Amino acid sequence: MAAAVVSASTGVISTLLPKLSRLIEGEYKLQKGVKRKIKFLKDELTSMETLLVKLSDKEETLDGQAKDWRNKVRELSYDIEDCIDLFMHKMSKGIDAAEANLVKKTASKIKNIWSRHKIDGLIEELKARVQEESDRRIRYKFDDLSTNSSQVVRIDPRLPALFVEAKRLVGTDGPSEEIIEWLNKDDYAQELRVISIVGFGGLGKTTLANQVYQKIKGQFDCSCFVPVSQNPNIAKILVDMLKELKNQKSCVDPSDDVRQLIDKLRAFLTHKRYFIIVDDIWSTQAWELVKSALPENNLNSRIITTTRDASVAESCCSSLVGHVHNIQPLSDQQSKELFFKRVFGNTSACPPHLEGMSHGILEKCHGLPLAIITIASLLAGKSNMDQWEHVRSSISSAFNHKGMRDILLLSYYDLPHHLKTCLLYLSIFPEDYEIRREELIWRWVAEGFITEVRGQSADQVAENYFNELVNRSLIQPIYISYDDRAHTCRVHDMVLELIVSLSVEENFASIVKGQCYNGGCHTIRRLSIQAEHVGDEVTQQIMDKRSQRSY
């Protein structure tokens, strides 16, 4: 029998049903009327679980009414499990106490009578809620959908080559050489120079900057690549810079504040020729703080920044010898080569009957590498004309933010429900956070997301899930070793933005950033605090809604 699994699609129904069976089978002394009510809960939830799985497979076409029903049933499963767990805990404590002495035994009997009486009332309330949702479900009719049996998944061997190819197309043939030429221009001039790469999300700014970084970092005394992101922790950024520049893991006093960290960086860099990439800057304020740690030492040092905001790019270059580089989309030919390599493994392997469809899909991607790779990953291994037509007709233009979201949503909807759950869980990690594969896998196991597979351990199955998400280009592997295993991974900021919004919508996780809490009026199931300090008002909101399974 397969192990029960917690899922974003079905809540905790799978783990709840065995607990209800235990109550029915007589391990706990309950009145017959209570057992009948519990059996009703079990039968109805079993049926609802089947429908929830179907709804998950139809998620992209659900109307608001169906989503509302799904969400209420899912929340109901959590509430029922909380109630049953509390009852089982109280009854177990009562049994242990009864063995101690006569006084405790008598008190335990009274407590058990109270517990059984109270659970009768709680079960009655829950039964009424289940009955209400059961009555509503007749409005929704969905066909059965077949499920594909999963095999052992390995990281696509073409993937490392794909990333190299993507970088070459975006950077090496032209833009990276142009940037390097500008950085080396008038090499006898010793002043600090900065070049700011600006462009829409998904155009490959980070990829281009990294290409330049890998090519020329050996020419400098020290170098580092530091992400800033939308909600920067300046102290952490400065600490990471110090560690990478000094090539030491423990070179910082934990008590250092921002001013002290800036002083240490300036002291270390004053007499060194340095090369620093400051990636993904969203505000001039963040840039000014980072820049204050970088001395103008006239040793031919260089800085590259990346940003989506043209005004931020101008700010980066305004007070130094600077240049703004507007990154361009891939050409039609480059887009075609990247797309075909990902889908077919070869630029000339596209079947004739799919060439026209490929052209229509690429037109909607407008040369955005992220859009091309995402769609190509979705189509890899599919040669049915109807499947390709469904993808083509489902995406709008990727040249705007909504269009890119549509493309990413299409990939999300294509996931089996167990992978949707694992992907949504990544919403608890902050932007640009480097996630250790091993830690993530064991978190998934601990949360109960991993389906039992005969002949494989839970961590092996979880690693298959991880690799599948990598293959679909929904998470980015970092440090792939000789055995093709990624030691860490990162989530692209646009993918993270999507899964955070979906996670909040489905009340899968609640996230606290700074003094902002996005959980609304929902009970908190999983809590991620991404702030050093949380205000009293936010703390009170969290306490009022707490029912965390993890944080």
Side-chain angles (χ1 to χ4, degrees), residues 100-144:
N101 55 49
L102 183 61
V103 174
K104 289 185 178 181
K105 189 173 182 179
T106 302
S108 176
K109 285 183 177 180
I110 296 172
K111 184 177 181 181
N112 288 344
I113 292 171
W114 178 87
S115 295
R116 285 194 291 269
H117 175 74
K118 186 168 185 179
I119 195 175
D120 188 9
L122 291 174
I123 294 295
E124 185 61 43
E125 292 177 14
L126 293 170
K127 180 187 174 185
R129 289 176 59 187
V130 170
Q131 182 67 62
E132 181 182 351
E133 301 307 331
S134 182
D135 292 340
R136 292 180 61 205
R137 66 173 290 182
I138 60 174
R139 304 172 189 175
Y140 310 103
K141 297 179 181 179
F142 299 92
D143 295 333
D144 292 337

Side-chain angles (χ1 to χ4, degrees), residues 331-514:
S331 68
D332 290 346
Q333 182 59 33
Q334 290 172 333
S335 298
K336 185 177 178 180
E337 290 177 7
L338 179 59
F339 183 73
F340 286 171
K341 269 185 174 289
R342 182 65 182 105
V343 178
F344 305 111
N346 190 301
T347 56
S348 59
C350 179
H353 71 284
L354 293 177
E355 287 185 358
M357 195 73 69
S358 298
H359 178 72
I361 290 172
L362 287 173
E363 276 190 334
K364 294 191 175 187
C365 291
H366 287 277
L368 270 71
L370 177 62
I372 294 169
I373 290 174
T374 301
I375 291 297
S377 299
L378 180 63
L379 291 171
K382 297 178 180 177
S383 58
N384 183 284
M385 193 76 167
D386 291 339
Q387 293 174 315
W388 281 59
E389 172 57 33
H390 173 70
V391 169
R392 189 198 64 78
S393 62
S394 297
I395 58 176
S396 60
S397 169
F399 198 66
N400 56 70
H401 187 276
K402 184 181 183 300
M404 191 66 236
R405 178 183 170 87
D406 289 344
I407 287 175
L408 294 174
L409 266 176
L410 192 61
S411 291
Y412 174 77
Y413 290 143
D414 188 62
L415 293 173
H417 59 84
H418 60 275
L419 287 184
K420 288 179 182 176
T421 305
C422 291
L423 181 64
L424 286 185
Y425 186 77
L426 293 171
S427 65
I428 71 169
F429 295 100
E431 187 177 3
D432 289 323
Y433 188 84
E434 201 166 295
I435 308 164
R436 291 179 60 243
R437 184 201 78 248
E438 190 175 47
E439 177 187 343
L440 177 61
I441 282 172
W442 282 109
R443 280 173 172 259
W444 284 344
V445 172
E447 287 278 356
F449 299 157
I450 307 305
T451 305
E452 184 179 285
V453 176
R454 179 174 295 181
Q456 294 186 36
S457 63
D459 59 313
Q460 288 173 327
V461 177
E463 186 155 358
N464 284 344
Y465 290 3
F466 178 90
N467 292 344
E468 184 67 39
L469 290 173
V470 170
N471 290 345
R472 290 170 179 261
S473 301
L474 290 171
I475 58 178
Q476 300 170 327
I478 306 174
Y479 306 131
I480 297 178
S481 61
Y482 67 92
D483 60 356
D484 289 334
R485 300 175 80 192
H487 289 290
T488 58
C489 71
R490 185 179 288 129
V491 182
H492 190 284
D493 53 0
M494 295 192 76
V495 176
L496 181 62
E497 183 179 332
L498 172 71
I499 61 176
V500 165
S501 67
L502 290 172
S503 182
V504 171
E505 178 184 323
E506 300 189 8
N507 196 29
F508 185 80
S510 301
I511 299 167
V512 176
K513 290 184 178 180

Side-chain angles (χ1 to χ4, degrees), residues 86-297:
L86 178 62
F87 171 73
M88 288 181 168
H89 174 67
K90 287 183 175 293
M91 292 296 288
S92 297
K93 286 181 66 177
I95 292 170
D96 293 337
E99 297 174 353
N101 55 49
L102 183 61
V103 174
K104 289 185 178 181
K105 189 173 182 179
T106 302
S108 176
K109 285 183 177 180
I110 296 172
K111 184 177 181 181
N112 288 344
I113 292 171
W114 178 87
S115 295
R116 285 194 291 269
H117 175 74
K118 186 168 185 179
I119 195 175
D120 188 9
L122 291 174
I123 294 295
E124 185 61 43
E125 292 177 14
L126 293 170
K127 180 187 174 185
R129 289 176 59 187
V130 170
Q131 182 67 62
E132 181 182 351
E133 301 307 331
S134 182
D135 292 340
R136 292 180 61 205
R137 66 173 290 182
I138 60 174
R139 304 172 189 175
Y140 310 103
K141 297 179 181 179
F142 299 92
D143 295 333
D144 292 337
L145 298 175
S146 60
T147 56
N148 297 321
S149 58
S150 59
Q151 302 295 325
V152 174
V153 179
R154 302 184 186 280
I155 288 181
D156 189 337
R158 298 173 294 175
L159 208 58
L162 165 67
F163 288 143
V164 171
E165 183 67 13
K167 293 172 185 176
R168 185 184 71 78
L169 290 172
V170 175
T172 303
D173 292 342
S176 69
E177 296 303 326
E178 180 184 328
I179 290 172
I180 291 171
E181 182 181 354
W182 186 88
L183 291 173
N184 292 332
K185 186 179 180 181
D186 299 328
D187 197 44
Y188 58 86
Q190 300 297 302
E191 72 270 17
L192 174 64
R193 289 188 174 192
V194 58
I195 189 165
S196 187
I197 303 172
V198 62
F200 174 75
L203 272 173
K205 299 183 295 298
T206 300
T207 299
L208 175 56
N210 188 51
Q211 278 293 92
V212 176
Y213 181 70
Q214 296 300 331
K215 285 184 176 182
I216 67 174
K217 66 178 182 179
Q219 303 172 15
F220 297 83
D221 298 331
C222 57
S223 62
C224 73
F225 195 117
V226 56
V228 175
S229 74
Q230 191 170 8
N231 299 289
N233 182 333
I234 297 299
K236 183 181 185 304
I237 291 169
L238 299 175
V239 167
D240 290 344
M241 289 176 67
L242 267 173
K243 288 179 179 179
E244 190 169 348
L245 288 165
K246 288 189 171 185
N247 197 23
Q248 298 176 15
K249 290 187 176 180
S250 57
C251 60
V252 180
D253 187 332
S255 64
D256 286 346
D257 58 22
V258 170
R259 182 186 61 79
Q260 291 169 317
L261 291 168
I262 290 174
D263 289 342
K264 286 187 176 183
L265 275 166
R266 293 185 66 86
F268 178 75
L269 294 173
T270 294
H271 302 295
K272 289 182 173 60
R273 184 183 182 216
Y274 60 83
F275 180 36
I276 293 175
I277 308 289
V278 187
D279 185 43
D280 198 21
I281 304 174
W282 285 72
S283 69
T284 56
Q285 292 85 354
W287 162 244
E288 290 297 329
L289 281 168
V290 174
K291 187 185 74 169
S292 64
L294 307 176
E296 298 179 49
N297 55 12

